[in-house]
Amino acid sequence: MAEDRVIADMWFDPRCPWAWITSRWLLEVEQVRPVDVRFHVMSLSILNEGRDDLPERYKEGLAKGWAPVRVAIAAEQKFGNEVLRPLYTALGTRIHHEKQELGDELYRAALAEAGLPADLAGYAESTEYDAELRASHFAGMDPVGMDVGTPVIHVPGPDGKLIAFFGPVVTPRPRGEAAGRLWDGTLLVAGTPGFYEIKRTRDVGPTFE
């Protein structure tokens, strides 16, 4: 009998390099564990609304950050959740590997690569789906709290209860069985009642392979 596969839901903001690396790790996990990854949109701009203690440069980035998540949520609303996987890959490759500037050209190229209408890029400056964006954001963030960012992952535990956690933050992404072992360990600690945090200071930046 084939092993039952588990759905792991991950929330991402396309601009976050750490979420990007985690998402690519999850695609590795799919190959070595009975896991299917499903992507959802969150927004660092929403997460940091009303914070006056942020540096101006960071505030400027958050202002620009509305556009890609609005494009992503519009695509999901019009064509279904399954389009987020190829769209996130197309956006993330351009943003993190190719270092392209956010803008209409990037969005149109990413949408075309994902097999989606290029005119969805027009939603970058539209508030039409902001309510749905907020609903998606809080569906991911509420179970883990607002003092974390992205990546956030939800997975059903062995008892059927939700295991929700921030992370893992890792670079570069583990591959093959190493990716599977990190998945096993992450579920072990995240699924332990009363467990909250393992952390150490990052001494390297995100590495994209």
Side-chain angles (χ1 to χ4, degrees), residues 9-77:
D9 291 289
M10 178 190 159
W11 275 259
F12 70 92
D13 183 312
R15 295 182 64 244
C16 178
W18 298 105
W20 172 248
I21 295 170
T22 297
S23 74
R24 301 308 95 180
W25 161 68
L26 285 173
L27 299 185
E28 291 281 329
V29 173
E30 280 187 329
Q31 306 306 310
V32 295
R33 294 294 186 271
V35 174
D36 293 315
V37 181
R38 187 165 56 189
F39 292 104
H40 306 272
V41 186
M42 64 84 70
S43 169
L44 292 171
S45 300
I46 292 175
L47 185 69
N48 289 282
E49 277 183 322
R51 289 192 58 185
D52 297 325
D53 59 329
L54 299 172
E56 283 303 317
R57 188 167 66 90
Y58 195 73
K59 289 181 181 179
E60 291 171 3
L62 292 173
K64 294 178 181 178
W66 284 98
V69 293
R70 281 172 168 160
V71 171
I73 201 70
E76 182 184 29
Q77 290 299 306

Side-chain angles (χ1 to χ4, degrees), residues 82-168:
E82 63 274 8
V83 305
L84 285 181
R85 176 185 286 240
L87 180 56
Y88 183 25
T89 293
L91 288 168
T93 299
R94 286 164 174 78
I95 293 169
H96 302 297
H97 293 263
E98 299 174 9
K99 309 301 182 184
Q100 294 183 19
E101 289 292 326
L102 296 180
D104 188 70
E105 182 178 349
L106 184 154
Y107 306 139
R108 286 180 175 274
L111 287 161
E113 181 181 318
L116 294 164
D119 60 9
L120 284 171
Y123 286 95
E125 305 302 325
S126 170
T127 61
E128 181 174 346
Y129 292 112
D130 278 11
E132 289 80 3
L133 173 61
R134 290 179 183 277
S136 178
H137 173 90
F138 288 108
M141 300 305 298
D142 282 351
V144 295
M146 297 302 157
D147 59 345
V148 299
T150 180
V152 161
I153 297 172
H154 296 185
V155 64
D159 57 0
K161 293 182 179 179
L162 178 68
I163 300 174
F165 54 91
F166 165 74

